[in-house]
Amino acid sequence: MDQLLSPKQIAEAIGASESSVKRWCDQGMLTTVKTAGGHRRISVQEALRFVREQNYSVVEPRILAMPATDDRKSRRIEGCSERLAGSLLADNELACHAIVSDLFLAGHAVSQIFDDVITVAFRTIGEKWACYEADVYQERCSCQIALRVLHELRAKQVPPMPQLKALGATIEGDQYSLPVTMSEIVLRSVGWDARLLGSSIPFDSMINAIKRYQPGLFWLSVSHIRDEAEFIAGFNRVFEAASKTESAVVVGGRVLTSEIRSKLRYTAFCDTMRHLEEFGKTLSRQTQSVPANSRKKNRKA
Ligand code: B12
């Protein structure tokens, strides 16, 4: 069950008065649940949403289940990718969590943290690996740490809207788990109930998932293609299946050259997590403005 906080705990976390927090609760600025005894309680995710949106400084991050940091200046994006690359290669997992959670608490969009910090850090790691300055185990270990940091971040997001379903995957043979996981978190940050099916999923299996769940959005992250012709044919079959269920297909990934893209059918191509965030927002607005009774009758809840 999600951890619930009292107004007093939130007040301590951000250095405000308890009465101010209670007032924000009563004004609906903070969504509360009431205990059997009628006391206000706030989920950690909701408290984090409030802090990020209202630009409050967190003085006691531990109360919000965030790692404590020793560097209060670390709220700026600049310099973070270098620090993250160093911490990943040094196997300093706590520092990695702290760098990312500081930026999250400071209100930076997850898309920005992903594009400008984590992705850049991995570019550095890739360059070091290519120049024999980083060992293979360090690269693999960095991926494991980054995935744990991403999962931690996902757990801190407010629950998405169940009516906005999104599914995602990587294609068979594509083991790149970071971009596809980032996409899930970015979509969740703009309200999508996004769920990653997993990595290395055969096209037929993706089609089965689309038929079963009929998502409003299906995303595919493509970082490795084994056979180009097979990929194009399989991808276009997925698009056909998605069209039948009125699912938008969003695609991105480092190996999708303009030549390959010209042979694919999709709803949107995104270069970055920021693009995905914008597309996700626009599509969710459109989806929600369609009257419920005119949506596909057989779409599963
Ligand atoms: C980690 C890593 C791996 C790991 C991945 C493990 C894992 N669990 O994810 C593994 C071990 C699989 C791996 C394998 C290989 N790798 Co590798 N790998 C990397 C590394 C260091 C990081 C990749 C990464 O995850 N980056 C972070 C992500 C988030 O960044 P990104 O992919 O660029 O994504 C951004 C955008 O492209 C976009 N995006 C991406 N996907 C999507 C999807 C959507 C929907 C959207 C909206 C946007 C989007 O948004 C992201 C954020 O801005 C890169 C270095 C680099 N420059 O990235 C090398 C790198 C990609 N690898 C490389 C190589 C050579 C290999 C191998 C061939 C090595 C080998 N000899 O075996 C194999 C290929 C095997 C295969 N079948 O894929 C080379 C590729 C060179 C080239 N020109 O193609 C690189 C560039 C390293 C280098 N400097 O040489 N690798």
Side-chain angles (χ1 to χ4, degrees):
M1 199 183 129
D2 288 342
Q3 191 190 340
L4 293 175
L5 302 168
S6 65
K8 188 174 178 202
Q9 285 174 300
I10 294 184
E12 276 171 24
I14 61 175
S17 70
E18 188 181 347
S19 56
S20 298
V21 179
K22 284 183 174 169
R23 194 177 61 249
W24 298 329
C25 293
D26 297 341
Q27 289 171 344
M29 290 167 73
L30 266 163
T31 305
T32 52
V33 289
K34 288 273 170 82
T35 63
H39 298 291
R40 305 168 188 87
R41 290 291 179 268
I42 303 106
S43 71
V44 168
Q45 291 87 344
E46 172 63 6
L48 287 168
R49 179 202 61 77
F50 178 80
V51 166
R52 278 164 50 76
E53 284 180 12
Q54 301 294 321
N55 232 347
Y56 275 102
S57 294
V58 178
V59 288
E60 289 291 348
R62 279 180 213 277
I63 299 177
L64 301 180
M66 299 299 271
T69 59
D70 48 9
D71 180 7
R72 295 275 97 223
K73 289 180 293 202
S74 54
R75 290 157 185 273
R76 289 160 54 91
I77 290 279
E78 292 74 25
C80 282
S81 64
E82 292 86 343
R83 289 201 295 126
L84 183 65
S87 303
L88 285 166
L89 290 170
D91 195 16
N92 187 346
E93 183 154 351
L94 273 182
C96 298
H97 278 280
I99 291 167
V100 173
S101 71
D102 267 355
L103 295 172
F104 183 70
L105 281 178
H108 295 288
V110 287
S111 60
Q112 192 189 8
I113 302 174
F114 296 164
D115 284 336
D116 297 347
V117 179
I118 304 184
T119 300
V120 181
F122 273 92
R123 219 170 281 149
T124 306
I125 292 173
E127 281 158 17
K128 285 189 185 291
W129 167 81
C131 304
Y132 304 103
E133 287 172 24
D135 219 308
V136 173
Y137 83 84
Q138 287 179 296
E139 185 216 57
R140 303 290 199 279
C141 196
S142 299
C143 288
Q144 295 304 316
I145 294 175
L147 279 176
R148 286 194 287 273
V149 169
L150 292 180
H151 288 140
E152 187 67 32
L153 211 52
R154 186 188 190 278
K156 297 284 154 41
Q157 294 182 296
V158 280
M161 295 175 257
Q163 71 274 25
L164 286 175
K165 286 216 180 306
L167 291 181
T170 71
I171 61 168
E172 245 184 316
D174 183 342
Q175 305 297 342
Y176 286 83
S177 45
L178 294 177
V180 77
T181 305
M182 288 177 182
S183 307
E184 181 190 43
I185 297 170
V186 167
L187 287 170
R188 291 176 81 87
S189 77
V190 290
W192 285 89
D193 185 4
R195 200 149 59 90
L196 176 59
L197 294 171
S199 296
S200 202
I201 308 244
F203 288 116
D204 283 338
S205 187
M206 288 182 202
I207 291 170
N208 289 340
I210 290 171
K211 282 185 187 156
R212 175 170 174 191
Y213 294 104
Q214 306 192 3
L217 187 159
F218 186 79
W219 83 91
L220 208 60
S221 176
V222 191
S223 304
H224 175 76
I225 297 176
R226 268 200 309 230
D227 180 308
E228 204 175 296
E230 219 175 84
F231 166 70
I232 293 165
F235 182 94
N236 287 333
R237 281 197 298 116
V238 169
F239 181 81
E240 283 291 323
S243 312
K244 289 189 186 133
T245 55
E246 295 181 4
S247 310
V249 175
V250 187
V251 66
R254 57 187 313 281
V255 293
L256 289 180
T257 57
S258 45
E259 200 201 322
I260 297 179
R261 273 162 48 202
S262 69
K263 296 175 190 147
L264 302 179
R265 295 176 67 203
Y266 50 77
T267 316
F269 169 80
C270 298
D271 273 316
T272 62
M273 293 297 145
R274 278 191 190 80
H275 291 165
L276 181 62
E277 180 184 349
E278 289 311 323
F279 180 77
K281 269 190 213 163
T282 309
L283 189 65
S284 77
R285 274 196 296 267
Q286 284 171 4
T287 308
Q288 284 169 302
S289 65
V290 176
N293 58 6
S294 69
R295 285 196 203 122
K296 272 206 139 190
K297 295 257 175 353
N298 62 351
R299 187 164 280 183
K300 284 189 184 156

